[in-house]
Amino acid sequence: MMETLLIAGACIVTIFAGFYVHLRWSMRFIAEQMAMLDAKLAEALTSTIQNLPLGDIEPVNPVQMMIMQMIQDNMAKNPAKIVTRTPDGQFAAESSPESEQ
């Protein structure tokens, strides 16, 4: 009886030791692979940024700047309005004092 308990205990300890060693090995492998992935990503980003054609951007056309300024001025004069909706989801008619007259 005692020999059976010792053998069963040794088997259980061996199984858990195997799980522990496998877990440690797997964690070390994952950590190494993550470090390699981090290095490869950093290298890829660096090479991509260095190869961007940032010097080939043409300056903004004065006509484009004028149109942009006009749009910004109009946006400042007419701020966005909240449009109400009816319970069925349709847009409600705008009721302003000017339209009622």
Side-chain angles (χ1 to χ4, degrees), residues 49 61 80 90:
I49 290 173
N61 189 335
Q90 299 291 323

Side-chain angles (χ1 to χ4, degrees), residues 37-65:
L37 177 65
D38 185 39
K40 287 181 182 179
L41 280 174
E43 182 181 333
L45 285 173
T46 303
S47 65
T48 301
I49 290 173
Q50 287 176 350
N51 294 333
L52 286 177
L54 294 177
D56 297 339
I57 298 173
E58 62 183 59
V60 178
N61 189 335
V63 175
Q64 291 172 338
M65 286 195 309

Side-chain angles (χ1 to χ4, degrees), residues 9-86:
C11 288
I12 291 172
V13 168
T14 304
I15 289 171
F16 281 113
F19 285 150
Y20 177 75
V21 169
H22 180 71
L23 180 65
R24 296 285 292 184
W25 179 81
S26 296
M27 293 300 290
R28 182 176 297 141
F29 177 74
I30 290 171
E32 289 173 2
Q33 293 301 315
M34 290 298 287
M36 286 175 41
L37 177 65
D38 185 39
K40 287 181 182 179
L41 280 174
E43 182 181 333
L45 285 173
T46 303
S47 65
T48 301
I49 290 173
Q50 287 176 350
N51 294 333
L52 286 177
L54 294 177
D56 297 339
I57 298 173
E58 62 183 59
V60 178
N61 189 335
V63 175
Q64 291 172 338
M65 286 195 309
M66 181 184 69
I67 294 172
M68 180 184 66
Q69 187 63 42
M70 288 173 46
I71 292 172
Q72 287 176 348
D73 291 342
N74 285 337
M75 288 175 61
K77 290 178 189 174
N78 301 323
K81 298 177 185 175
I82 297 176
V83 180
T84 57
R85 290 182 179 237
T86 60

